[in-house]
Amino acid sequence: MVRSTWSLIHDAAARTDKLTKAAAKINQPKRKAKGSTWDISYLHEYLHAGEPIDDDEDIKLITLVERTILRLRAQAGWRSGDLCGLLDCGLTWLDTPGAGAATHGVLVRLFGTKMYKKAWTPPVFFPRLADKYSQLCVYRTLKMLLSVVNSVTVEAISVPSPADASKQVQAKPLMVFAPSKAGAKRGERLHKPLAENTVAAYFRKAFLANVSGAGGKMFSELYKPHTARHAVASRLALMGVPAAKISTVTLNAAETLEKTYVLAVDLEWPVPETCVAGQALLPAKILLPYVHYASTEGKSGAACDCAKLLQQVPPS
């Protein structure tokens, strides 16, 4: 298997070969035990194999929506329906340089999820990641998506203010789609919210349908988009995170996690225990098995990037 982060990023052939091999490993029936789930680190590797994110890059709306879905699912495991509650006023940007604390990132609150119907969820903090891991960064992706959404006409909805639930505010959904080509020719400009099943389809198209497994079956034939939720919860549990703490990121009940979502993991990336113990932020902690292996190329005793994953000072 190719393990060089440099070759994965800069060598297209290496990326293609790596993804094919990784997918084949995931999907071998002999490795898939009943009551187990796939290793979420495969999604982290898939994302990191892409081109580094350029904050000033001109990217189509649909691409940014897909990127956002993949990254939020890779770090928080949010449902398709919950992602429909991603609104502009639910984002709080924290851009102050911190001394010994990750204060550079974004607080994300969702509106109207399965557990928090007609209400805002508690905030989940996603730190800005170092440039080397920009492909995994929720903060950067959301910044770019919000910029594009603010440049077009979006069908707003009325919701309680995140700051004062007694007041209503007009909010822009971030999971939106553009008018069709025919509609655009007729002068239509309004971008409308995506349906829950469309969000799931985006995840399937952007990740699951891009890899093939043993026997030639596509990953999308073997796993549903919702399994990313199992993969996130199970990986964090494997790291020793209690269900009550995991629920602060996945935004569902701890009891539900324990009964339904926490499964054995078909583990490919071992847990770097010392590095994991030193990282309190769960959206960062879950990335460490991949980051550790990618930065050391699997060499025992080699220096890793785990302690340098977060970018705590804004770039100049």
Side-chain angles (χ1 to χ4, degrees):
M1 293 177 69
V2 179
R3 283 293 182 187
S4 169
T5 302
W6 180 264
S7 65
L8 283 173
I9 292 175
H10 297 280
D11 185 343
R15 289 201 303 270
T16 301
D17 181 60
K18 173 58 184 168
L19 294 176
T20 300
K21 290 180 180 179
K25 289 186 67 178
I26 299 172
N27 293 301
Q28 287 176 357
K30 65 181 180 180
R31 300 190 66 85
K32 184 78 171 125
K34 184 177 180 181
S36 65
T37 187
W38 54 281
D39 192 339
I40 194 66
S41 296
Y42 276 110
L43 179 51
H44 303 153
E45 182 184 48
Y46 179 86
L47 294 173
H48 192 226
E51 294 298 323
I53 291 179
D54 180 349
D55 295 355
D56 297 322
E57 187 178 0
D58 185 16
I59 301 176
K60 290 183 179 180
L61 174 64
I62 187 172
T63 301
L64 286 171
V65 170
E66 288 178 347
R67 284 184 176 184
T68 301
I69 292 169
L70 264 62
R71 283 151 184 79
L72 287 173
R73 282 205 136 139
Q75 294 178 44
W78 288 341
R79 298 180 180 92
S80 299
D82 292 353
L83 285 168
C84 292
L86 183 63
L87 311 177
D88 62 344
C89 60
L91 306 180
T92 302
W93 305 99
L94 304 176
D95 296 324
T96 303
T103 56
H104 190 202
V106 59
L107 286 167
V108 181
R109 301 177 72 181
L110 303 176
F111 182 79
T113 66
K114 184 176 181 180
M115 184 171 177
Y116 296 88
K117 295 179 174 64
K118 298 181 180 180
W120 289 98
T121 66
V124 178
F125 179 72
F126 295 91
R128 177 167 179 148
L129 305 183
D131 292 347
K132 184 176 178 179
Y133 297 97
S134 64
Q135 302 96 318
L136 300 170
C137 189
V138 168
Y139 171 96
R140 295 167 191 254
T141 305
L142 282 176
K143 274 269 188 182
M144 296 173 73
L145 176 60
L146 181 62
S147 177
V148 172
V149 168
N150 283 337
S151 71
V152 297
T153 304
V154 174
E155 185 175 67
I157 60 174
S158 180
V159 297
S161 167
D164 183 355
S166 66
K167 299 178 180 179
Q168 292 291 115
V169 295
Q170 292 297 301
K172 293 181 181 179
L174 300 186
M175 297 286 102
V176 295
F177 65 97
S180 65
K181 290 183 179 180
K185 288 182 179 180
R186 294 193 300 268
E188 295 179 11
R189 295 290 181 267
L190 190 63
H191 291 60
K192 298 182 179 181
L194 292 173
E196 177 180 347
N197 62 346
T198 306
V199 173
Y202 275 28
F203 184 78
R204 187 180 300 111
K205 174 186 175 185
F207 173 59
L208 298 178
N210 283 341
V211 293
S212 59
K217 281 192 174 182
M218 298 305 295
F219 204 35
S220 54
E221 296 179 67
L222 300 168
Y223 296 101
K224 295 181 179 179
H226 194 66
T227 59
R229 193 165 181 77
H230 295 81
V232 167
S234 301
R235 170 55 95 167
L236 288 173
L238 185 64
M239 293 177 176
V241 182
K245 185 69 173 177
I246 297 172
S247 69
T248 64
V249 171
T250 57
L251 300 177
N252 58 348
E255 296 80 5
T256 302
L257 285 170
E258 292 179 326
K259 292 179 180 178
T260 305
Y261 289 101
V262 176
L263 306 171
V265 179
D266 296 329
L267 196 65
E268 292 293 345
W269 278 264
V271 176
E273 295 182 3
T274 301
C275 297
V276 164
Q279 179 54 257
L281 295 172
L282 298 191
K285 185 189 288 283
I286 200 168
L287 298 173
L288 295 186
Y290 168 70
V291 169
H292 186 89
Y293 206 104
S295 57
T296 62
E297 298 186 357
K299 297 175 183 177
S300 179
C304 71
D305 288 339
C306 294
K308 300 181 289 185
L309 177 61
L310 308 187
Q311 182 172 345
Q312 303 209 10
V313 179
S316 57

